[in-house]
Amino acid sequence: MNQIHLNNIISDDLAGFRLDQALAKLFPQFSRSQLQQWIEKGGVTVNQKKIIKSKDRVYPGQKVELNVTLENREEWTAEALPLDIVFEDESLLVINKPPGLVVHPGAGNLRSTLVNALLYYDTELQKLPRAGLIHRLDKDTSGLLLIARNLTAFHHLSQQMQQRTIHRSYAAIVEGSPKLMDTINLAIGRHPTQRTKMSVLMHGGRSAVTHFKVLEKFLTHAYLDIELETGRTHQIRVHMAYINHPILGDPVYGKSHRYDRLSEELSQQIADFKRQALHAKKISFRHPVTEELVTLESNLPDDLENLLQAFRKYNATSL
């Protein structure tokens, strides 16, 4: 068992939220049900006052603290699955996740996830929240993921994530021809009617900021460099779809397109691309022990690189 000591301040966008809802936003590394259990057991304080009711409301400026014991999670099974390790030391791991790999065990995906592989690689991760994962990637998004290997590193890196000092860049191919450079500052929350989706909300969502610049423009698509200032669920996919430039191949937020202006070969290659064309290519953070800046990059996976080369080839021949 390990002791967890974390704190944060209630922001304006969480005003009036239930305590458990606010904690789930402030500490996304824990599930809401786990947070509710800790509240009921007296492990949460607000302005140094112990609170045991999840439905109590919170207000801006209040200091919330978690002082709880994390039990071992024997229900997560360690599995000998391959890992593409970009960086590792005693404090952390950075993994290059392939497309199609689920990150965390859940309903319908209890085995063969990244977490199952991590627990086999390092059994100590069983003692950490979410096996040390500091952030997540969608199943069909590839790229870099940061994992802490002990509680000290977990706390340090989690604070960096909350303070927005971990910088993440993505490569993406989007539909259409967006501005050469832009910032999307639109709140995101759960879709009001389709609860498995997220959406831009004019009222009640959480602050979400995405920066992008166009690296290359093609006839019907564009290749973008995207930087996250915040890290909301599906943030890039939701923001790009909202400005009518969804990520190519996005099955949830994209739209069906016909590409009459493209060659039959390229149109078929686009149709055969069965995931969102999104890759977490770069991450930068302060090392939890040395405080040195660590910057790591990942090459595009073959499927995305091949698609990009096909666009380049067609763009050159169509001029």
Side-chain angles (χ1 to χ4, degrees):
M1 295 187 181
N2 289 282
Q3 295 297 314
I4 300 288
H5 303 286
L6 291 174
N7 64 79
N8 212 322
I9 302 296
I10 300 297
S11 54
D12 290 343
D13 60 340
L14 296 178
F17 273 51
R18 286 169 49 118
L19 176 59
D20 58 339
Q21 293 173 329
L23 291 178
K25 302 293 186 183
L26 294 173
F27 306 110
Q29 60 268 44
F30 306 113
S31 68
R32 187 170 165 188
S33 60
Q34 176 67 84
L35 291 165
Q36 289 172 339
Q37 292 178 27
W38 286 338
I39 292 170
E40 293 170 2
K41 293 179 179 179
V44 177
T45 62
V46 177
N47 286 348
Q48 299 184 330
K49 180 182 178 181
K50 190 175 294 185
I51 305 295
I52 61 172
K53 293 182 179 179
S54 295
K55 66 181 181 180
D56 283 6
R57 303 290 169 174
V58 296
Y59 300 96
Q62 290 180 321
K63 181 180 181 180
V64 293
E65 296 181 81
L66 295 181
N67 292 284
V68 297
T69 300
L70 182 71
E71 298 178 357
N72 292 342
R73 296 176 175 178
E74 298 176 356
E75 69 272 18
W76 292 350
T77 303
E79 295 182 72
L81 304 172
L83 287 172
D84 182 1
I85 299 173
V86 177
F87 175 90
E88 72 170 312
D89 63 13
E90 293 181 352
S91 298
L92 60 94
L93 291 164
V94 177
I95 302 296
N96 190 28
K97 187 186 88 67
L101 179 64
V102 175
V103 170
H104 196 278
N109 290 293
L110 296 176
R111 304 291 295 270
S112 300
T113 72
L114 177 62
V115 165
N116 298 117
L118 288 171
L119 294 179
Y120 183 88
Y121 185 78
D122 184 352
T123 57
E124 290 298 302
L125 294 177
Q126 185 78 49
K127 302 174 183 178
L128 300 180
R130 302 203 179 191
L133 285 164
I134 302 302
H135 60 115
R136 296 190 186 191
L137 292 175
D138 297 331
K139 173 185 175 182
D140 290 324
T141 298
S142 55
L144 300 176
L145 272 169
L146 176 60
I147 299 106
R149 301 184 78 170
N150 54 59
L151 274 176
T152 299
F154 182 82
H155 292 163
H156 196 291
L157 294 169
S158 294
Q159 290 291 343
Q160 288 188 56
M161 184 63 71
Q162 292 164 11
Q163 294 165 5
R164 303 183 184 180
T165 56
I166 293 180
H167 300 287
R168 292 169 289 161
S169 299
Y170 291 72
I173 299 176
V174 301
E175 306 278 354
S177 182
K179 295 179 182 179
L180 292 179
M181 185 178 296
D182 203 359
T183 292
I184 307 169
N185 188 349
L186 295 167
I188 288 176
R190 189 68 58 182
H191 193 287
T193 58
Q194 302 176 56
R195 303 305 291 173
T196 59
K197 295 176 62 175
M198 308 300 287
S199 67
V200 167
L201 299 177
M202 295 300 105
H203 304 285
R206 295 197 69 198
S207 170
V209 181
T210 303
H211 308 280
F212 73 82
K213 62 180 177 181
V214 176
L215 300 177
E216 298 178 65
K217 278 197 174 186
F218 309 116
L219 188 62
T220 55
H221 294 76
Y223 178 44
L224 271 55
D225 175 81
I226 300 176
E227 290 196 11
L228 287 179
E229 186 173 317
T230 55
R232 311 306 177 205
T233 302
H234 298 177
Q235 178 174 320
I236 292 174
R237 298 165 63 191
V238 171
H239 271 173
M240 297 311 300
Y242 187 82
I243 64 170
N244 295 316
H245 297 294
I247 306 296
L248 183 153
D250 191 329
V252 177
Y253 303 102
K255 300 176 182 178
S256 297
H257 287 272
R258 292 185 59 186
Y259 302 107
D260 297 332
R261 301 165 66 190
L262 301 180
S263 68
E264 183 176 343
E265 179 183 359
L266 181 54
S267 295
Q268 187 60 52
Q269 196 161 348
I270 293 171
D272 290 341
F273 197 83
K274 299 301 184 183
R275 69 175 181 101
Q276 60 263 14
L278 187 61
H279 175 72
K281 67 176 183 178
K282 185 176 180 180
I283 189 167
S284 181
F285 57 91
R286 292 286 174 185
H287 192 279
V289 176
T290 67
E291 296 287 343
E292 293 180 355
L293 183 66
V294 179
T295 300
L296 300 164
E297 297 191 49
S298 164
N299 294 329
L300 294 180
D302 289 344
D303 64 344
L304 193 50
E305 180 63 39
N306 291 340
L307 183 61
L308 190 57
Q309 292 299 336
F311 274 113
R312 289 169 177 157
K313 178 181 177 181
Y314 183 79
N315 211 55
T317 57
S318 64
L319 294 178

